[in-house]
Amino acid sequence: MSAFSALTATNPAASTRSAWSVLKFGGTSVSKRSRWDTIGRLALARRDESGPVLVVVSAVSGVTNALLAIIEAAQRDVAQAKSLAEVLCDKHREFAASLDLQADAVIGQRFAELHALVVDTRAARADFGWQAEVQALGELMSSALGEAYLNRQGIPIRWIDARQHMRAIVLPNTTQWAARLSVNCHIDTSDAYRAGFAEQGDLLITQGFIARDEAGQTCILGRGGSDTSAAYFGARLQAARVEIWTDVPGMFSANPREVPQARLLSRLDYEEAQEIATTGAKVLHPRCIGPCREAAVPLWIRDTERPELAGTLIDASAVDAAPGVKAISTRKGIVLVSMESIGMWQQVGFLADVFAIFRAHGLSVDLIGSAESNVTVSLDPSENLVSSNVIDALCADLVAFCRVKVIVPCAAITLVGRGMRSLLHKLSDVMAVFGRERVHLISQSSNDLNLTFVVDESVAEGLLPKLHELLIASGAMPVEETDVFGPSWRQLSGQAAARAACWWQSRSTALLALADSSPRYVYHLPTVRARAQALAAVEAVDRRFYAIKANPHPALLRTLVDEGYGLECVSQGELSHVFASVPALAPQRVLFTPSFAAREEYLLARERGVRITLDSVYPLEHWPELFHGQDLQLRIDPGFGSGHHEKVRTGGKGAKFGLPASRLAEFLATADRVGARIVGLHAHIGSGVTDAAHWRTVYSQLAGLAEQIGTVESIDVGGGLGVPYEPDAPAFDLDAYARALAEVKSAWPHYELWIEPGRYLVAEAGVLLTRVTQCVDKLGVRRIGVDAGMNALIRPALYGAYHEILNLSRLQDAAGSPADVVGPICESGDVLGRRRRLPDRTQEGDVLLIATAGAYGAAMASTYNLRALPDEELLDD
Ligand code: LLP
């Protein structure tokens, strides 16, 4: 079903409504001739499909800002205002010419009005009504040009003045400013009104943003008011729908400019959309949702450049009982007002008193946090807040009641979605991120639709991509619900990484044959070599070690040793395994980097002659005899961690690894006493890191310390390089990694640069083959059971990790309905993938391939439930 037919089919009120469609086009959508052609085409198509059409337009891009500049200039420098006005008229002349129109013939009268307003006596006192009249000209001009152009194209659209229809209402506490420059409008839903409106024609064009007050004077709806105008018209006409045509494909789960992985939200209910719009998304003006919701008019966001995309549909039918975070957003410019009063405890009327002051200043309070002697509130960056010194005035009044502190600039980071309270257990990773920062205020909305954290603006910088990723990984944002979550911005904007050819795509026959024993891991040695060589081409690196914990299969170890890699081990078991698998390996090519290991393990490592890494003073203090005369490597905790999941971040206070730099002196003194020499510094901040800048920071920190120590010869920046698990995820940016390392290496060329990756070398070389055991539908959930569970591959259960899953037996079949792929282990967490669209014909005995399983797959497998360990096989062609 197309979104358009869904619109009529799912909306119970659809049949009782008028057939009007309201189509709103924003600034960029009316700024080019080709866009007006689109407007004409869409308007005609809607009229022919479903009935009369009202087109609501904004001013041409940049015009409202230009008008504001004129307003500003007119108050102090009329000559400048006049010249700005002339520039604006010229801009319209130019635009009209591109439409083959004579601007002066079509909107000459508006030009004259503008010039008259510039010299109006009201200008000097910045009269609000005068400001409204100046600003209204933008929409009056664009709509008139649009009408003339479309008529010329043979489209009989008729211009109407929005001010005849949009009547401002004055709400209690409305300031004089708001009464002219930020009005709300009356909604007349009477049959008589609709009948009268319909008499004007079935193809009309009007202005967004403008209205009139009781006295008939021009007012404006404030920034973003065109959306609201469209919604008011939609409500008044009881329209079949309001379509907001804009320059993005719809609402997203995060701001796509910051988070390219953000997903298009295909369907939302009014409340969710309201929250998302209010808490940061710029696509829709928050005020426009209310009128549509009250009148049950569906609101549909569409992309003017790409009308074929389905956009975001907001209506009452989208209410989904399943809880889930739909979006995360940030609002900057938040002002926090903290009010401290010792006398507040049980003091009747304190809040009433202070809130009365906010009201008197026309400030609306957003979030509230309270303690016995403190109330902290947040204020949205409203127009009067930025355009006047209202905060100073507010504080001056508040001091009579309490001590006031204003905290700026703050940012509010909000998670929006239904059933936030029931999701808290999934938000632990998100909480952990905030836990490391200073959070001024946490607020959970009483409608259970949002959870907001207020932090300093600087903290919010760059945090969104990480939080978005964590929300998906934890299952809090159920992106597998494809009815709600559409494609990612990256996919829509054509930036999705074209899937790099995977070795297994051309080897399905061989793999199917190998699945005679199942579950079975299969490793492709040429892929291991290819990754090893790509990394070896990073010039700044002097020595490379493979972290065998990722996959200790002997053939992989031999392959990597042949490629020139040393091996990094973390246990006695790994050490023994390494020398058994590659007997000729020189001990100098082996690192021993254990964590909280027993004394015997260090003893064994020493006997083998491998390079030992210590990460605390304890071994030196308690077993000095082991380290006497040894050259050691010291693992530093750089104070921060990074990686695909909280559980794999190895830096900072919360992690058990590494010596904090603050204890370096003590460590060095002890090493000196023991007679050990520190010849290498080491840090490994975590696993699955995608931002190359981290290694630059780590190296710089270590180099700084190395300079103090004096005996250091090498700096090991660990492993951690990420790999793409999702089919459209970008490959690890090896060039950026090479550049970052080259930069630091050139700053400190006297240290050897070492690395010790695991995942990067083997993850993509491995797949897990598993056979379908049972296919079961239970209470509407489709489940495909397989013989590999969390015993064979624990990453999805442990980290919420994503692994692509496909049915190797039915590669030609189309995607089917969503199914959870589950294992045979007696745990609810035994799920390998959720809501995967495996072919509907998938059946017992089919072979499923679980991709990117070469790292931390077999290595972490267990015999839990006494199930046998998965088999392992190799392919070398
Ligand atoms: N060096 C040290 C000291 C490490 O602890 C690790 C991994 C590495 C190097 C290699 O990191 P890699 O390049 O593979 O990211 N089981 C988790 C990963 C745990 C990584 C533990 N340490 C997972 O499946 O994601």
Side-chain angles (χ1 to χ4, degrees), residues 77 124 182 191 221 242 311 329 350 422 437 470 553 630 681 684 716 765 772:
D77 182 349
S182 184
D191 291 345
L221 277 70
V242 170
S329 55
F350 174 79
S422 61
E437 310 295 350
L470 289 175
H553 193 288
Q630 289 281 307
L681 284 186
H684 170 82
D716 179 344
V772 174

mmCIF file with all atom_site columns, all heavy atoms in Angstrom, residues 77 124 182 191 221 242 311 329 350 422 437 470 553 630 681 684 716 765 772:
data_model
loop_
_atom_site.group_PDB
_atom_site.id
_atom_site.type_symbol
_atom_site.label_atom_id
_atom_site.label_alt_id
_atom_site.label_comp_id
_atom_site.label_asym_id
_atom_site.label_entity_id
_atom_site.label_seq_id
_atom_site.pdbx_PDB_ins_code
_atom_site.Cartn_x
_atom_site.Cartn_y
_atom_site.Cartn_z
_atom_site.occupancy
_atom_site.B_iso_or_equiv
_atom_site.pdbx_formal_charge
_atom_site.auth_seq_id
_atom_site.auth_comp_id
_atom_site.auth_asym_id
_atom_site.auth_atom_id
_atom_site.pdbx_PDB_model_num
ATOM 1   N N   . ASP A 1 77  ? 18.860  54.001  10.566 1.00 0.00 ? 77  ASP A N   1
ATOM 2   C CA  . ASP A 1 77  ? 19.539  54.543  9.396  1.00 0.00 ? 77  ASP A CA  1
ATOM 3   C C   . ASP A 1 77  ? 18.647  54.350  8.163  1.00 0.00 ? 77  ASP A C   1
ATOM 4   O O   . ASP A 1 77  ? 18.715  53.331  7.476  1.00 0.00 ? 77  ASP A O   1
ATOM 5   C CB  . ASP A 1 77  ? 20.872  53.793  9.239  1.00 0.00 ? 77  ASP A CB  1
ATOM 6   C CG  . ASP A 1 77  ? 21.690  54.318  8.065  1.00 0.00 ? 77  ASP A CG  1
ATOM 7   O OD1 . ASP A 1 77  ? 21.140  55.100  7.269  1.00 0.00 ? 77  ASP A OD1 1
ATOM 8   O OD2 . ASP A 1 77  ? 22.861  53.920  7.957  1.00 0.00 ? 77  ASP A OD2 1
ATOM 9   N N   . ALA A 1 124 ? 10.660  54.323  13.618 1.00 0.00 ? 124 ALA A N   1
ATOM 10  C CA  . ALA A 1 124 ? 11.613  54.785  14.627 1.00 0.00 ? 124 ALA A CA  1
ATOM 11  C C   . ALA A 1 124 ? 11.370  54.115  15.968 1.00 0.00 ? 124 ALA A C   1
ATOM 12  O O   . ALA A 1 124 ? 12.296  53.826  16.712 1.00 0.00 ? 124 ALA A O   1
ATOM 13  C CB  . ALA A 1 124 ? 11.494  56.299  14.756 1.00 0.00 ? 124 ALA A CB  1
ATOM 14  N N   . SER A 1 182 ? 3.621   37.075  16.907 1.00 0.00 ? 182 SER A N   1
ATOM 15  C CA  . SER A 1 182 ? 3.665   35.621  17.139 1.00 0.00 ? 182 SER A CA  1
ATOM 16  C C   . SER A 1 182 ? 2.266   35.158  17.529 1.00 0.00 ? 182 SER A C   1
ATOM 17  O O   . SER A 1 182 ? 2.036   34.664  18.622 1.00 0.00 ? 182 SER A O   1
ATOM 18  C CB  . SER A 1 182 ? 4.677   35.312  18.249 1.00 0.00 ? 182 SER A CB  1
ATOM 19  O OG  . SER A 1 182 ? 4.797   33.928  18.427 1.00 0.00 ? 182 SER A OG  1
ATOM 20  N N   . ASP A 1 191 ? -19.585 24.507  8.926  1.00 0.00 ? 191 ASP A N   1
ATOM 21  C CA  . ASP A 1 191 ? -19.908 24.120  7.553  1.00 0.00 ? 191 ASP A CA  1
ATOM 22  C C   . ASP A 1 191 ? -20.025 25.368  6.686  1.00 0.00 ? 191 ASP A C   1
ATOM 23  O O   . ASP A 1 191 ? -19.622 25.379  5.530  1.00 0.00 ? 191 ASP A O   1
ATOM 24  C CB  . ASP A 1 191 ? -21.240 23.360  7.508  1.00 0.00 ? 191 ASP A CB  1
ATOM 25  C CG  . ASP A 1 191 ? -21.100 21.995  8.178  1.00 0.00 ? 191 ASP A CG  1
ATOM 26  O OD1 . ASP A 1 191 ? -19.936 21.572  8.391  1.00 0.00 ? 191 ASP A OD1 1
ATOM 27  O OD2 . ASP A 1 191 ? -22.132 21.384  8.509  1.00 0.00 ? 191 ASP A OD2 1
ATOM 28  N N   . LEU A 1 221 ? 2.580   35.027  12.283 1.00 0.00 ? 221 LEU A N   1
ATOM 29  C CA  . LEU A 1 221 ? 2.541   33.882  13.194 1.00 0.00 ? 221 LEU A CA  1
ATOM 30  C C   . LEU A 1 221 ? 3.896   33.608  13.828 1.00 0.00 ? 221 LEU A C   1
ATOM 31  O O   . LEU A 1 221 ? 4.026   32.703  14.625 1.00 0.00 ? 221 LEU A O   1
ATOM 32  C CB  . LEU A 1 221 ? 2.068   32.628  12.436 1.00 0.00 ? 221 LEU A CB  1
ATOM 33  C CG  . LEU A 1 221 ? 0.552   32.480  12.282 1.00 0.00 ? 221 LEU A CG  1
ATOM 34  C CD1 . LEU A 1 221 ? 0.005   33.514  11.317 1.00 0.00 ? 221 LEU A CD1 1
ATOM 35  C CD2 . LEU A 1 221 ? 0.198   31.084  11.822 1.00 0.00 ? 221 LEU A CD2 1
ATOM 36  N N   . VAL A 1 242 ? -2.931  17.572  5.230  1.00 0.00 ? 242 VAL A N   1
ATOM 37  C CA  . VAL A 1 242 ? -2.060  18.729  5.042  1.00 0.00 ? 242 VAL A CA  1
ATOM 38  C C   . VAL A 1 242 ? -0.706  18.168  4.645  1.00 0.00 ? 242 VAL A C   1
ATOM 39  O O   . VAL A 1 242 ? -0.161  17.311  5.344  1.00 0.00 ? 242 VAL A O   1
ATOM 40  C CB  . VAL A 1 242 ? -1.934  19.549  6.347  1.00 0.00 ? 242 VAL A CB  1
ATOM 41  C CG1 . VAL A 1 242 ? -0.832  20.596  6.223  1.00 0.00 ? 242 VAL A CG1 1
ATOM 42  C CG2 . VAL A 1 242 ? -3.263  20.194  6.688  1.00 0.00 ? 242 VAL A CG2 1
ATOM 43  N N   . GLY A 1 311 ? 8.064   9.973   2.630  1.00 0.00 ? 311 GLY A N   1
ATOM 44  C CA  . GLY A 1 311 ? 8.033   10.998  3.669  1.00 0.00 ? 311 GLY A CA  1
ATOM 45  C C   . GLY A 1 311 ? 7.585   10.474  5.022  1.00 0.00 ? 311 GLY A C   1
ATOM 46  O O   . GLY A 1 311 ? 7.646   9.280   5.296  1.00 0.00 ? 311 GLY A O   1
ATOM 47  N N   . SER A 1 329 ? 17.197  14.264  20.056 1.00 0.00 ? 329 SER A N   1
ATOM 48  C CA  . SER A 1 329 ? 17.461  15.584  19.496 1.00 0.00 ? 329 SER A CA  1
ATOM 49  C C   . SER A 1 329 ? 18.187  16.466  20.499 1.00 0.00 ? 329 SER A C   1
ATOM 50  O O   . SER A 1 329 ? 18.205  16.186  21.700 1.00 0.00 ? 329 SER A O   1
ATOM 51  C CB  . SER A 1 329 ? 16.133  16.239  19.103 1.00 0.00 ? 329 SER A CB  1
ATOM 52  O OG  . SER A 1 329 ? 15.296  16.253  20.216 1.00 0.00 ? 329 SER A OG  1
ATOM 53  N N   . PHE A 1 350 ? 5.665   29.539  47.402 1.00 0.00 ? 350 PHE A N   1
ATOM 54  C CA  . PHE A 1 350 ? 6.947   29.974  46.823 1.00 0.00 ? 350 PHE A CA  1
ATOM 55  C C   . PHE A 1 350 ? 6.939   29.825  45.299 1.00 0.00 ? 350 PHE A C   1
ATOM 56  O O   . PHE A 1 350 ? 7.261   30.754  44.557 1.00 0.00 ? 350 PHE A O   1
ATOM 57  C CB  . PHE A 1 350 ? 8.112   29.176  47.440 1.00 0.00 ? 350 PHE A CB  1
ATOM 58  C CG  . PHE A 1 350 ? 9.431   29.458  46.794 1.00 0.00 ? 350 PHE A CG  1
ATOM 59  C CD1 . PHE A 1 350 ? 10.144  30.605  47.113 1.00 0.00 ? 350 PHE A CD1 1
ATOM 60  C CD2 . PHE A 1 350 ? 9.959   28.601  45.829 1.00 0.00 ? 350 PHE A CD2 1
ATOM 61  C CE1 . PHE A 1 350 ? 11.356  30.894  46.499 1.00 0.00 ? 350 PHE A CE1 1
ATOM 62  C CE2 . PHE A 1 350 ? 11.170  28.874  45.212 1.00 0.00 ? 350 PHE A CE2 1
ATOM 63  C CZ  . PHE A 1 350 ? 11.866  30.021  45.551 1.00 0.00 ? 350 PHE A CZ  1
ATOM 64  N N   . SER A 1 422 ? 9.093   2.478   30.541 1.00 0.00 ? 422 SER A N   1
ATOM 65  C CA  . SER A 1 422 ? 9.313   1.034   30.453 1.00 0.00 ? 422 SER A CA  1
ATOM 66  C C   . SER A 1 422 ? 10.601  0.719   29.697 1.00 0.00 ? 422 SER A C   1
ATOM 67  O O   . SER A 1 422 ? 10.934  -0.437  29.479 1.00 0.00 ? 422 SER A O   1
ATOM 68  C CB  . SER A 1 422 ? 8.121   0.375   29.768 1.00 0.00 ? 422 SER A CB  1
ATOM 69  O OG  . SER A 1 422 ? 8.006   0.896   28.467 1.00 0.00 ? 422 SER A OG  1
ATOM 70  N N   . GLU A 1 437 ? 29.440  12.978  32.320 1.00 0.00 ? 437 GLU A N   1
ATOM 71  C CA  . GLU A 1 437 ? 29.381  14.418  32.096 1.00 0.00 ? 437 GLU A CA  1
ATOM 72  C C   . GLU A 1 437 ? 28.622  15.090  33.244 1.00 0.00 ? 437 GLU A C   1
ATOM 73  O O   . GLU A 1 437 ? 27.983  14.428  34.046 1.00 0.00 ? 437 GLU A O   1
ATOM 74  C CB  . GLU A 1 437 ? 28.640  14.714  30.771 1.00 0.00 ? 437 GLU A CB  1
ATOM 75  C CG  . GLU A 1 437 ? 29.145  13.930  29.578 1.00 0.00 ? 437 GLU A CG  1
ATOM 76  C CD  . GLU A 1 437 ? 30.570  14.288  29.207 1.00 0.00 ? 437 GLU A CD  1
ATOM 77  O OE1 . GLU A 1 437 ? 31.100  15.277  29.747 1.00 0.00 ? 437 GLU A OE1 1
ATOM 78  O OE2 . GLU A 1 437 ? 31.163  13.563  28.377 1.00 0.00 ? 437 GLU A OE2 1
ATOM 79  N N   . LEU A 1 470 ? 24.112  4.034   20.368 1.00 0.00 ? 470 LEU A N   1
ATOM 80  C CA  . LEU A 1 470 ? 23.849  3.263   21.588 1.00 0.00 ? 470 LEU A CA  1
ATOM 81  C C   . LEU A 1 470 ? 22.370  2.908   21.708 1.00 0.00 ? 470 LEU A C   1
ATOM 82  O O   . LEU A 1 470 ? 22.022  1.825   22.167 1.00 0.00 ? 470 LEU A O   1
ATOM 83  C CB  . LEU A 1 470 ? 24.280  4.063   22.830 1.00 0.00 ? 470 LEU A CB  1
ATOM 84  C CG  . LEU A 1 470 ? 25.783  4.215   23.040 1.00 0.00 ? 470 LEU A CG  1
ATOM 85  C CD1 . LEU A 1 470 ? 26.062  5.119   24.226 1.00 0.00 ? 470 LEU A CD1 1
ATOM 86  C CD2 . LEU A 1 470 ? 26.420  2.840   23.277 1.00 0.00 ? 470 LEU A CD2 1
ATOM 87  N N   . HIS A 1 553 ? 42.644  -19.228 15.753 1.00 0.00 ? 553 HIS A N   1
ATOM 88  C CA  . HIS A 1 553 ? 42.772  -20.400 14.884 1.00 0.00 ? 553 HIS A CA  1
ATOM 89  C C   . HIS A 1 553 ? 44.210  -20.470 14.357 1.00 0.00 ? 553 HIS A C   1
ATOM 90  O O   . HIS A 1 553 ? 44.731  -19.491 13.815 1.00 0.00 ? 553 HIS A O   1
ATOM 91  C CB  . HIS A 1 553 ? 41.791  -20.302 13.712 1.00 0.00 ? 553 HIS A CB  1
ATOM 92  C CG  . HIS A 1 553 ? 41.658  -21.595 12.963 1.00 0.00 ? 553 HIS A CG  1
ATOM 93  N ND1 . HIS A 1 553 ? 42.654  -22.079 12.147 1.00 0.00 ? 553 HIS A ND1 1
ATOM 94  C CD2 . HIS A 1 553 ? 40.664  -22.526 12.919 1.00 0.00 ? 553 HIS A CD2 1
ATOM 95  C CE1 . HIS A 1 553 ? 42.287  -23.243 11.636 1.00 0.00 ? 553 HIS A CE1 1
ATOM 96  N NE2 . HIS A 1 553 ? 41.072  -23.535 12.091 1.00 0.00 ? 553 HIS A NE2 1
ATOM 97  N N   . GLN A 1 630 ? 64.418  -6.810  33.722 1.00 0.00 ? 630 GLN A N   1
ATOM 98  C CA  . GLN A 1 630 ? 63.536  -6.952  32.545 1.00 0.00 ? 630 GLN A CA  1
ATOM 99  C C   . GLN A 1 630 ? 63.292  -5.613  31.846 1.00 0.00 ? 630 GLN A C   1
ATOM 100 O O   . GLN A 1 630 ? 63.240  -4.569  32.491 1.00 0.00 ? 630 GLN A O   1
ATOM 101 C CB  . GLN A 1 630 ? 62.178  -7.479  33.016 1.00 0.00 ? 630 GLN A CB  1
ATOM 102 C CG  . GLN A 1 630 ? 62.193  -8.919  33.451 1.00 0.00 ? 630 GLN A CG  1
ATOM 103 C CD  . GLN A 1 630 ? 62.164  -9.853  32.249 1.00 0.00 ? 630 GLN A CD  1
ATOM 104 O OE1 . GLN A 1 630 ? 61.312  -9.751  31.387 1.00 0.00 ? 630 GLN A OE1 1
ATOM 105 N NE2 . GLN A 1 630 ? 63.138  -10.747 32.187 1.00 0.00 ? 630 GLN A NE2 1
ATOM 106 N N   . LEU A 1 681 ? 55.661  2.234   25.979 1.00 0.00 ? 681 LEU A N   1
ATOM 107 C CA  . LEU A 1 681 ? 54.382  2.653   26.569 1.00 0.00 ? 681 LEU A CA  1
ATOM 108 C C   . LEU A 1 681 ? 53.278  2.084   25.695 1.00 0.00 ? 681 LEU A C   1
ATOM 109 O O   . LEU A 1 681 ? 53.430  1.926   24.484 1.00 0.00 ? 681 LEU A O   1
ATOM 110 C CB  . LEU A 1 681 ? 54.272  4.173   26.638 1.00 0.00 ? 681 LEU A CB  1
ATOM 111 C CG  . LEU A 1 681 ? 55.080  4.852   27.736 1.00 0.00 ? 681 LEU A CG  1
ATOM 112 C CD1 . LEU A 1 681 ? 54.767  6.338   27.769 1.00 0.00 ? 681 LEU A CD1 1
ATOM 113 C CD2 . LEU A 1 681 ? 54.773  4.239   29.109 1.00 0.00 ? 681 LEU A CD2 1
ATOM 114 N N   . HIS A 1 684 ? 45.383  0.926   25.080 1.00 0.00 ? 684 HIS A N   1
ATOM 115 C CA  . HIS A 1 684 ? 44.345  0.371   24.189 1.00 0.00 ? 684 HIS A CA  1
ATOM 116 C C   . HIS A 1 684 ? 43.034  0.872   24.757 1.00 0.00 ? 684 HIS A C   1
ATOM 117 O O   . HIS A 1 684 ? 42.636  0.472   25.838 1.00 0.00 ? 684 HIS A O   1
ATOM 118 C CB  . HIS A 1 684 ? 44.416  -1.163  24.190 1.00 0.00 ? 684 HIS A CB  1
ATOM 119 C CG  . HIS A 1 684 ? 43.252  -1.800  23.494 1.00 0.00 ? 684 HIS A CG  1
ATOM 120 N ND1 . HIS A 1 684 ? 43.188  -1.947  22.120 1.00 0.00 ? 684 HIS A ND1 1
ATOM 121 C CD2 . HIS A 1 684 ? 42.098  -2.315  23.974 1.00 0.00 ? 684 HIS A CD2 1
ATOM 122 C CE1 . HIS A 1 684 ? 42.042  -2.526  21.799 1.00 0.00 ? 684 HIS A CE1 1
ATOM 123 N NE2 . HIS A 1 684 ? 41.367  -2.756  22.892 1.00 0.00 ? 684 HIS A NE2 1
ATOM 124 N N   . ASP A 1 716 ? 52.976  1.816   21.779 1.00 0.00 ? 716 ASP A N   1
ATOM 125 C CA  . ASP A 1 716 ? 52.001  0.878   21.219 1.00 0.00 ? 716 ASP A CA  1
ATOM 126 C C   . ASP A 1 716 ? 50.614  1.479   21.442 1.00 0.00 ? 716 ASP A C   1
ATOM 127 O O   . ASP A 1 716 ? 50.203  1.657   22.592 1.00 0.00 ? 716 ASP A O   1
ATOM 128 C CB  . ASP A 1 716 ? 52.176  -0.457  21.956 1.00 0.00 ? 716 ASP A CB  1
ATOM 129 C CG  . ASP A 1 716 ? 51.198  -1.525  21.493 1.00 0.00 ? 716 ASP A CG  1
ATOM 130 O OD1 . ASP A 1 716 ? 50.208  -1.166  20.842 1.00 0.00 ? 716 ASP A OD1 1
ATOM 131 O OD2 . ASP A 1 716 ? 51.433  -2.707  21.812 1.00 0.00 ? 716 ASP A OD2 1
ATOM 132 N N   . ALA A 1 765 ? 36.637  -11.865 7.463  1.00 0.00 ? 765 ALA A N   1
ATOM 133 C CA  . ALA A 1 765 ? 37.065  -13.117 6.831  1.00 0.00 ? 765 ALA A CA  1
ATOM 134 C C   . ALA A 1 765 ? 36.244  -14.305 7.319  1.00 0.00 ? 765 ALA A C   1
ATOM 135 O O   . ALA A 1 765 ? 36.356  -15.401 6.773  1.00 0.00 ? 765 ALA A O   1
ATOM 136 C CB  . ALA A 1 765 ? 38.543  -13.356 7.125  1.00 0.00 ? 765 ALA A CB  1
ATOM 137 N N   . VAL A 1 772 ? 18.631  -24.172 9.986  1.00 0.00 ? 772 VAL A N   1
ATOM 138 C CA  . VAL A 1 772 ? 17.335  -23.862 10.586 1.00 0.00 ? 772 VAL A CA  1
ATOM 139 C C   . VAL A 1 772 ? 16.796  -25.124 11.252 1.00 0.00 ? 772 VAL A C   1
ATOM 140 O O   . VAL A 1 772 ? 16.812  -26.208 10.661 1.00 0.00 ? 772 VAL A O   1
ATOM 141 C CB  . VAL A 1 772 ? 16.355  -23.349 9.516  1.00 0.00 ? 772 VAL A CB  1
ATOM 142 C CG1 . VAL A 1 772 ? 14.959  -23.157 10.102 1.00 0.00 ? 772 VAL A CG1 1
ATOM 143 C CG2 . VAL A 1 772 ? 16.861  -22.043 8.910  1.00 0.00 ? 772 VAL A CG2 1
#
